[in-house]
Amino acid sequence: MTPHDGQFDKTRVTRFPGGGASMPSTPPAPYPDANLDFDEGSDGGFNFWELLRIFVKWWWLIAIIVLVVVAATTIFTLRQTPMYRATTTVEIKQQESNIIEVNDVEQINANAEFMSTQYSLLRSRALAERVVQSLNLTTDDRFANQTVELPKRVEQAASVVVDNLSVAPVGRSRLVNISYASSDPRLAARVSDAVAETFIAYNLERKFNATSYARDFLEERIAATKTSLEASERALIQYADEQGIVNINNNASGETDATGSLDSAALVSFNAELATVQAQRIDLEQRYNEAASNQFAADIQNDPTIQSIQTGLAELESEYLEKSNFLKPDFPEMVELNGKIDAAKSRLRSERSNIVNTLESQYQATLSREQGLQSRINEIKGDVISVRNRSIDYTILQRDVDTNRTQYDALLQRLKEISTSDGIGSNLVSIVDRAKVPNLPFEPNLKRSLVMALLLSAAFGFGLAYLIELIDDRIKLPDDIKEKLDLRILGVVPLLGKDEKFEQVLTDSQSSISEAYASTRTSLQFAVSGAPRIIQITSTRPGEGKSSSAFALAKSFAAQEQKTLIIDADLRLPAFSRGGGESIGLTGLLTSMAPIEPQLLPSKFPHLFLLPAGKVPSNPAELLSGHRFEQVLHELRDQFDQIIIDGPPVLGLADAPILGAVCEATILVIEAGAIRTPSVKLTLERLATSNTHLIGAILTKYKSAANGYLDYYQYSYGKEFSEYGKRKHRKPKSVLAHLSFLKKPDTRNRDLEITENF
């Protein structure tokens, strides 16, 4: 693997017997090329476990919303006035007859249209007003204001009836349920039956009125049609006499045809001949114009005489040119040849003129013929148009007569049918089931309301929780590091319990935090051929667990019998001090040429040493960027198997990028749920500018229960496996494991609480 794949090149790292490695021979790869190639990616589709995590995390918010909505719904439902519904079932039969007959297709469509019309009539205001008057509802305070006039009370009562009336078909049958809702169950049954009865009476009345109207209408139309028929027949006969039109035969459709056919045939023939002559005239005109303007026109060049003359002229000119090489122009033979050439040219011009004159004569003859044909066509066209105009008027009059006669016969037949019928026929609407007085109200329906409130409130609560998660761009989960930052997760460190101390849990090899850092060390060792030898630990801002992670990781390496050194390179706010030892620290080494080994302090843990920061300088960035720091690292590399550098935060400082440029690898510490994604991305960009080899991140202070996460980052397999995660968590007071060389510095803006432990 290359450095751009996020792993160290084996050819660039030299292993030593102690397990260490030499400094890389080439600069480390910057962050954009340092992503490890194991990233799973994101399919961007439906993620059941993500939704489950959000539900587990925000269950309390969803529960509160559900409880509030359900309680409000219960109170509102119980305060509503009970409403009773009574239903009357009627049957609407197929329509028996129509005034005007229609074809089969229209009858099939009219079935659904007829039923839809009946539903609308049942819900009409006119029917409601009839019901109001039949039940005398205008005197009921529940339907109308008794202080207004009667017409206004009828209008108000009808509006109440329409608002509480519902009409619905029973399946696909011709049965219809007429339902009325009211706070009085007896009134609901009365109004429902009254609507059905009034509709039956109203339907019979409409049918009778329609039949009576049809008879009167037909009689009036027959009289008018008879008059129109007589007038149209007289007009037809009078027009035929005036125009001299005699019908001597019928066409294929049975109608008389008064249009002459001889002139029409002649017109067609002349039109065809005219088209041919026009084509000839156009062709001759083009040939004539071309020959007159161009001596090389096709008609001239293709003429046999012209071709013969041109051949002879070419031979004479060739002979003249050949003899001019040894004879002078005034030589008799040359003079004779020149005369022949002139004669040939004169003849050529004469022949060309003859061809042009011939084309002109042909063109003029064809043009005269075209004009004659056009004149004859115009004469015939006038005769044809005149005959056709008179025939059109005659046909119009004849069609008017036929239409009036057909309409008159149809109206007479329809009048006979209506006159012989009974006029009314059977009723189309009948009552099947009358309304019964309801015993229980249909509204409010507490069970239905609670179910709807529960479903809607749960959906709203979960949607709100999902929206909060969508808006919240903090790094909270291990997957956020992979998906949002495209970084490898080297380790996930859980949050300390309420009664836990960092030193205690770190000393206990079976604790979750010890397992977490052991897993981080293992990730470094197996990611490449051995862990990077010089590793910087940094973070975006103070308080994310950077120094704690640096010590815990160093202790984990030391536990593997690797000689490990911690360098406190945070020269602005050191986390480690020299304790009881005498050391000028990193600052002293960078400002002098003092020997390094006396400045290294041992700890109470085997194989673990410290190079403290020393005195806080005024120019940390300048000290770290000098050549002396590289010399110090070069000497320490020969003495230690693993060097862990506790660097300062990245944002706002230049120290961490400077350290990243000289370290083999850099690990970014991110506090779970405490820092936004744009801030971390800005950190990555700053590290990338210094060619820092960023190999991954450690997520600290991770609260799996608080994030609703089905935690697969569980490291406790010992005595605390059944207890860890069940304890109540609080905001961490993370404690750095205590070295014999530590003292308690100012921790107001740090994530550490460092105490003395000699």
Side-chain angles (χ1 to χ4, degrees), residues 293-606:
S293 60
N294 184 9
Q295 63 180 353
F296 299 104
D299 287 293
I300 296 176
Q301 294 298 322
N302 295 332
D303 186 73
T305 304
I306 295 294
Q307 292 178 352
S308 176
I309 296 174
Q310 287 179 340
T311 301
L313 179 61
E315 292 175 353
L316 292 173
E317 289 177 344
S318 177
E319 183 181 356
Y320 182 85
L321 182 62
E322 182 181 355
K323 291 182 178 182
S324 64
N325 293 327
F326 54 87
L327 296 177
K328 294 182 178 182
D330 55 352
F331 193 77
E333 186 177 352
M334 295 294 290
V335 173
E336 182 181 0
L337 283 175
N338 192 25
K340 291 180 179 181
I341 291 173
D342 292 338
K345 289 182 179 180
S346 176
R347 184 183 176 191
L348 180 62
R349 287 192 296 270
S350 176
E351 289 297 330
R352 287 175 179 170
S353 178
N354 292 335
I355 292 174
V356 172
N357 293 334
T358 301
L359 290 175
E360 182 180 8
S361 300
Q362 293 176 352
Y363 163 67
Q364 292 296 335
T366 305
L367 179 62
S368 299
R369 184 181 177 190
E370 178 186 0
Q371 292 174 350
L373 286 173
Q374 187 66 53
S375 176
R376 179 56 180 162
I377 287 173
N378 292 336
E379 293 177 1
I380 298 176
K381 187 184 295 184
D383 296 339
V384 172
I385 291 174
S386 176
V387 173
R388 288 191 175 182
N389 287 337
R390 288 180 291 163
S391 299
I392 289 173
D393 293 338
Y394 180 85
T395 303
I396 292 173
L397 293 175
Q398 180 65 47
R399 190 177 297 113
D400 190 21
V401 172
D402 295 339
T403 302
N404 290 334
R405 181 177 291 108
T406 302
Q407 184 178 6
Y408 181 74
D409 295 339
L411 291 174
L412 283 176
Q413 181 63 29
R414 193 60 182 154
L415 180 59
K416 293 178 181 179
E417 294 175 357
I418 294 178
S419 299
T420 56
S421 65
D422 56 0
I424 297 179
S426 61
N427 186 24
L428 300 179
V429 183
S430 60
I431 297 178
V432 178
D433 291 324
R434 290 189 173 272
K436 293 183 179 180
V437 178
N439 297 322
L440 297 175
F442 76 99
E443 285 186 356
N445 190 329
L446 182 60
K447 181 178 179 180
R448 181 184 61 189
S449 300
L450 291 181
V451 171
M452 292 297 297
L454 179 63
L455 295 177
L456 295 178
S457 60
F460 174 76
F462 185 81
L464 181 61
Y466 186 83
L467 181 62
I468 294 174
E469 286 288 317
L470 194 63
I471 296 175
D472 187 4
D473 62 349
R474 295 177 298 169
I475 303 298
K476 305 183 292 297
L477 306 174
D479 289 345
D480 292 343
I481 295 178
K482 293 187 292 185
E483 296 174 0
K484 296 181 180 180
L485 304 179
D486 199 18
L487 282 178
R488 178 177 180 176
I489 303 175
L490 298 176
V492 179
V493 182
L495 180 68
L496 277 172
K498 181 178 181 181
D499 300 324
E500 292 177 330
K501 299 296 182 181
F502 191 79
E503 179 183 9
Q504 298 174 355
V505 299
L506 198 61
T507 304
D508 186 358
S509 61
Q510 293 184 341
S511 68
S512 59
I513 291 182
S514 295
E515 291 287 352
Y517 284 109
S519 175
T520 303
R521 184 204 70 227
T522 304
S523 298
L524 290 173
Q525 290 175 336
F526 286 98
V528 292
S529 299
R533 189 171 179 187
I534 303 178
I535 303 175
Q536 177 194 198
I537 308 296
T538 186
S539 63
T540 300
R541 64 183 186 185
E544 295 190 65
K546 167 181 60 64
S547 299
S548 300
S549 298
F551 170 72
L553 194 58
K555 179 180 176 300
S556 181
F557 277 111
Q560 300 294 314
E561 298 184 357
Q562 295 187 38
K563 190 176 181 181
T564 306
L565 174 65
I566 299 177
I567 300 178
D568 189 355
D570 190 351
L571 303 183
R572 302 175 188 270
L573 188 59
F576 305 89
S577 66
R578 64 182 184 176
E582 294 296 333
S583 175
I584 62 176
L586 180 62
T587 303
L589 292 177
L590 296 181
T591 56
S592 68
M593 298 301 295
I596 296 177
E597 186 171 357
Q599 317 309 325
L600 305 179
L601 304 179
S603 71
K604 66 179 181 179
F605 302 101

Side-chain angles (χ1 to χ4, degrees), residues 111-128:
N111 187 20
E113 296 173 359
F114 172 75
M115 294 300 296
S116 178
T117 303
Q118 302 306 307
Y119 303 151
S120 300
L121 291 175
L122 282 168
R123 291 187 292 262
S124 65
R125 175 171 291 275
L127 184 64

Side-chain angles (χ1 to χ4, degrees), residues 80-97:
Q80 286 184 323
T81 302
M83 297 294 292
Y84 297 86
R85 176 182 291 162
T87 302
T88 301
T89 303
V90 299
E91 178 187 7
I92 301 178
K93 300 178 182 179
Q94 178 66 47
Q95 192 173 11
E96 291 182 345
S97 60

